[in-house]
Coordinates of all heavy atoms in Angstrom, one line a residue:
V14 N 116.1 48.6 84.3 CA 117.6 48.6 84.3 C 118.2 47.4 83.9 O 117.7 46.3 84.1 CB 118.1 48.7 85.9 CG1 119.6 48.7 86.1 CG2 117.6 50.1 86.5
P15 N 119.2 47.5 82.9 CA 119.9 46.3 82.4 C 120.4 45.3 83.4 O 120.7 45.8 84.6 CB 121.1 46.8 81.7 CG 120.7 48.2 81.3 CD 119.9 48.7 82.5
A16 N 120.3 44.1 83.2 CA 120.6 43.0 84.1 C 122.0 43.2 84.7 O 122.3 42.8 85.9 CB 120.5 41.6 83.5
D17 N 123.0 43.6 83.9 CA 124.4 43.7 84.3 C 124.7 44.8 85.3 O 125.7 44.9 85.9 CB 125.3 43.8 83.1 CG 125.0 45.1 82.3 OD1 123.9 45.6 82.4 OD2 126.0 45.6 81.7
K18 N 123.6 45.6 85.5 CA 123.8 46.8 86.5 C 123.0 46.5 87.8 O 123.1 47.4 88.7 CB 123.3 48.1 85.8 CG 124.2 48.6 84.6 CD 123.8 49.9 84.1 CE 124.6 50.3 82.9 NZ 124.2 51.6 82.3
L19 N 122.2 45.5 87.8 CA 121.4 45.2 89.0 C 122.2 45.0 90.2 O 121.9 45.3 91.3 CB 120.4 44.1 88.7 CG 119.2 44.5 87.7 CD1 118.4 43.3 87.4 CD2 118.3 45.6 88.3
E20 N 123.2 44.1 90.0 CA 124.1 43.7 91.2 C 124.7 44.9 91.8 O 124.9 45.0 93.1 CB 125.1 42.7 90.7 CG 124.6 41.4 90.4 CD 125.7 40.3 90.2 OE1 126.9 40.6 90.4 OE2 125.4 39.1 89.8
R21 N 125.1 46.0 91.0 CA 125.7 47.1 91.5 C 124.6 47.9 92.4 O 124.9 48.4 93.5 CB 126.2 48.1 90.5 CG 126.9 49.3 91.0 CD 127.6 50.0 89.8 NE 128.4 51.1 90.3 CZ 128.0 52.3 90.6 NH1 126.7 52.6 90.3 NH2 128.7 53.4 91.0
L22 N 123.4 48.0 92.0 CA 122.3 48.6 92.7 C 122.1 47.8 94.0 O 121.9 48.3 95.1 CB 121.0 48.6 91.9 CG 121.0 49.7 90.9 CD1 119.8 49.5 90.0 CD2 121.0 51.1 91.4
Q23 N 122.1 46.4 93.9 CA 121.9 45.6 95.1 C 122.9 45.9 96.1 O 122.6 46.0 97.3 CB 121.9 44.1 94.6 CG 121.7 43.1 95.8 CD 121.9 41.8 95.4 OE1 122.7 41.5 94.5 NE2 121.3 40.8 96.1
S24 N 124.2 46.0 95.6 CA 125.3 46.2 96.6 C 125.2 47.5 97.3 O 125.8 47.6 98.5 CB 126.7 46.1 96.0 OG 126.8 47.1 95.0
K25 N 124.5 48.4 96.8 CA 124.4 49.8 97.3 C 123.1 50.1 98.1 O 122.9 51.1 98.7 CB 124.5 50.9 96.3 CG 125.9 51.0 95.6 CD 126.0 52.1 94.6 CE 127.5 52.2 94.1 NZ 128.3 52.6 95.1
A26 N 122.3 49.0 98.2 CA 121.0 49.2 98.9 C 121.3 49.5 100.4 O 121.9 48.8 101.1 CB 120.2 48.0 98.7
K27 N 120.5 50.6 100.8 CA 120.8 51.0 102.2 C 119.3 51.6 102.7 O 118.7 52.5 102.0 CB 121.7 52.0 102.4 CG 122.0 52.5 103.8 CD 123.2 53.5 103.8 CE 123.4 54.1 105.2 NZ 124.5 55.0 105.4
V28 N 118.9 51.2 103.9 CA 117.6 51.7 104.4 C 117.8 52.9 105.2 O 118.8 53.0 106.1 CB 116.9 50.6 105.2 CG1 117.7 50.2 106.4 CG2 115.5 51.1 105.6
N29 N 117.1 53.9 105.0 CA 117.1 55.2 105.8 C 115.8 55.3 106.5 O 114.7 55.5 105.9 CB 117.4 56.4 104.9 CG 117.5 57.7 105.7 OD1 117.1 57.8 106.8 ND2 118.2 58.7 105.1
Y30 N 115.8 55.3 107.7 CA 114.4 55.4 108.6 C 113.8 56.7 108.5 O 112.5 56.8 108.8 CB 114.7 54.8 109.9 CG 115.2 53.5 110.1 CD1 116.6 53.3 110.5 CD2 114.5 52.4 109.7 CE1 117.1 52.0 110.6 CE2 114.9 51.1 109.7 CZ 116.3 50.9 110.3 OH 116.8 49.7 110.4
H31 N 114.5 57.8 108.2 CA 114.0 59.1 108.0 C 113.6 59.4 106.6 O 114.5 59.3 105.7 CB 114.9 60.2 108.5 CG 114.6 61.5 108.3 ND1 113.5 62.0 109.0 CD2 114.9 62.4 107.4 CE1 113.3 63.3 108.6 NE2 114.1 63.6 107.7
I32 N 112.4 59.8 106.4 CA 111.8 60.2 105.1 C 111.8 61.7 105.0 O 111.0 62.2 105.9 CB 110.5 59.5 104.7 CG1 110.6 58.0 104.7 CG2 110.0 60.1 103.4 CD1 109.4 57.4 104.3
G33 N 112.6 62.4 104.3 CA 112.7 63.8 104.3 C 111.3 64.6 103.9 O 110.5 64.0 103.1
R34 N 111.1 65.7 104.4 CA 109.9 66.5 104.0 C 110.0 66.8 102.5 O 111.0 67.1 102.0 CB 110.0 67.9 104.8 CG 108.8 68.7 104.6 CD 108.8 69.9 105.4 NE 107.6 70.7 105.3 CZ 106.5 70.6 105.8 NH1 106.3 69.6 106.7 NH2 105.5 71.4 105.6
G35 N 108.8 66.4 101.9 CA 108.8 66.7 100.5 C 109.2 65.4 99.6 O 109.0 65.5 98.4
T36 N 109.6 64.4 100.1 CA 110.1 63.2 99.4 C 109.0 62.7 98.6 O 109.0 62.3 97.4 CB 110.7 62.2 100.4 OG1 111.9 62.8 101.0 CG2 111.2 61.0 99.5
F37 N 107.8 62.3 99.4 CA 106.7 61.7 98.7 C 106.2 62.6 97.5 O 106.0 62.0 96.3 CB 105.5 61.6 99.6 CG 105.7 60.6 100.7 CD1 104.9 60.6 101.8 CD2 106.7 59.7 100.7 CE1 105.1 59.6 102.9 CE2 106.9 58.7 101.6 CZ 106.1 58.7 102.8
S38 N 106.0 63.8 97.6 CA 105.6 64.8 96.6 C 106.6 64.8 95.5 O 106.3 64.8 94.3 CB 105.4 66.1 97.1 OG 104.3 66.1 98.0
R39 N 107.9 64.8 95.8 CA 108.9 64.9 94.8 C 108.9 63.7 93.9 O 108.9 63.8 92.7 CB 110.3 65.1 95.4 CG 111.4 65.1 94.4 CD 112.8 65.4 95.0 NE 113.0 64.5 96.2 CZ 113.7 63.2 96.1 NH1 113.9 62.8 94.8 NH2 113.8 62.5 97.0
L40 N 108.9 62.5 94.5 CA 108.9 61.3 93.7 C 107.7 61.1 92.9 O 107.7 60.6 91.7 CB 109.2 60.0 94.6 CG 110.5 59.9 95.5 CD1 110.5 58.8 96.4 CD2 111.7 60.0 94.4
H41 N 106.6 61.5 93.5 CA 105.3 61.3 92.9 C 105.2 62.3 91.6 O 104.8 61.8 90.4 CB 104.1 61.7 93.8 CG 102.8 61.7 93.2 ND1 102.2 62.8 92.7 CD2 102.0 60.7 93.0 CE1 101.0 62.6 92.3 NE2 100.8 61.2 92.4
K42 N 105.7 63.4 91.7 CA 105.6 64.4 90.7 C 106.5 64.0 89.4 O 106.1 64.1 88.3 CB 106.1 65.8 91.1 CG 105.9 66.9 90.0 CD 106.3 68.2 90.4 CE 106.1 69.2 89.4 NZ 106.8 69.0 88.1
A43 N 107.7 63.4 89.8 CA 108.6 63.0 88.7 C 107.9 61.9 88.0 O 108.0 61.8 86.8 CB 109.9 62.5 89.4
E44 N 107.2 60.9 88.6 CA 106.6 59.9 87.9 C 105.4 60.3 87.1 O 105.1 59.9 85.9 CB 106.1 58.8 89.0 CG 105.8 57.4 88.3 CD 107.0 56.9 87.5 OE1 108.2 57.1 87.8 OE2 106.8 56.0 86.7
I45 N 104.5 61.3 87.7 CA 103.4 61.8 87.0 C 103.8 62.5 85.7 O 103.2 62.5 84.7 CB 102.5 62.7 88.0 CG1 101.9 61.8 89.1 CG2 101.6 63.4 87.1 CD1 101.0 60.9 88.5
D46 N 105.0 63.2 85.8 CA 105.5 63.9 84.7 C 105.9 63.0 83.6 O 105.7 63.2 82.4 CB 106.8 64.8 85.1 CG 106.4 66.0 85.9 OD1 105.1 66.4 85.9 OD2 107.3 66.6 86.5
K47 N 106.5 61.9 84.0 CA 106.8 60.8 82.9 C 105.6 60.3 82.3 O 105.6 60.1 81.0 CB 107.6 59.7 83.6 CG 109.0 59.9 84.0 CD 109.6 58.7 84.7 CE 110.9 59.0 85.2 NZ 111.6 57.9 85.9
I48 N 104.5 60.1 83.0 CA 103.3 59.5 82.5 C 102.6 60.5 81.6 O 102.0 60.3 80.6 CB 102.3 59.1 83.7 CG1 102.9 57.9 84.4 CG2 101.0 58.7 83.0 CD1 102.1 57.6 85.7
G49 N 102.7 61.9 81.9 CA 102.2 62.8 81.2 C 100.7 63.2 81.6 O 99.9 63.7 80.9
L50 N 100.4 62.8 82.8 CA 99.0 63.1 83.3 C 98.9 64.5 83.7 O 99.6 65.1 84.5 CB 98.7 62.2 84.5 CG 97.3 62.3 85.0 CD1 96.2 61.9 84.0 CD2 97.2 61.5 86.3
T51 N 97.9 65.3 83.2 CA 97.6 66.6 83.5 C 96.1 66.8 83.8 O 95.2 66.0 83.1 CB 98.1 67.6 82.6 OG1 97.4 67.3 81.2 CG2 99.5 67.6 82.3
R52 N 95.7 67.8 84.5 CA 94.3 68.2 84.5 C 94.0 68.9 83.3 O 94.7 69.3 82.5 CB 94.1 69.1 85.8 CG 94.3 68.5 87.1 CD 93.9 69.4 88.2 NE 94.3 68.9 89.5 CZ 95.3 69.4 90.3 NH1 96.0 70.3 89.8 NH2 95.5 68.9 91.4
K53 N 92.6 69.2 83.2 CA 92.1 70.0 81.9 C 92.7 71.4 82.0 O 92.8 72.0 80.8 CB 90.6 70.0 82.0 CG 89.9 68.8 81.8 CD 88.5 68.8 81.7 CE 87.8 67.5 81.4 NZ 86.3 67.5 81.5
N54 N 93.0 72.0 83.1 CA 93.6 73.3 83.2 C 95.1 73.3 83.0 O 95.7 74.4 83.0 CB 93.3 74.0 84.4 CG 93.9 73.3 85.6 OD1 94.6 72.4 85.6 ND2 93.5 73.9 86.7
G55 N 95.7 72.2 82.7 CA 97.1 72.0 82.5 C 98.0 71.8 83.7 O 99.2 71.5 83.5
T56 N 97.4 71.8 84.7 CA 98.3 71.6 86.0 C 98.5 70.0 86.3 O 97.6 69.3 85.8 CB 97.7 72.3 87.2 OG1 96.4 71.8 87.4 CG2 97.6 73.8 87.0

């Protein structure tokens, strides 16, 4: 993220003690998709 936008992110930081169902898998899949990692069968 560009330096001039970091302060805006900082000002909006908020902790949520509840982690929704599926959050881990959703965030993980999004990152794996960016990396482009797949099994031999394409999954």
Side-chain angles (χ1 to χ4, degrees):
V14 171
D17 60 334
K18 295 183 178 180
L19 289 173
E20 288 189 6
R21 186 170 185 275
L22 285 173
Q23 181 190 23
S24 68
K25 291 182 175 294
K27 182 179 180 181
V28 63
N29 186 339
Y30 299 110
H31 173 72
I32 298 176
R34 185 176 179 83
T36 298
F37 291 165
S38 295
R39 175 176 58 81
L40 295 176
H41 177 264
K42 184 179 184 304
E44 197 62 23
I45 291 298
D46 286 347
K47 288 180 184 178
I48 294 171
L50 180 66
T51 59
R52 299 188 183 105
K53 290 181 179 179
N54 64 6
T56 60

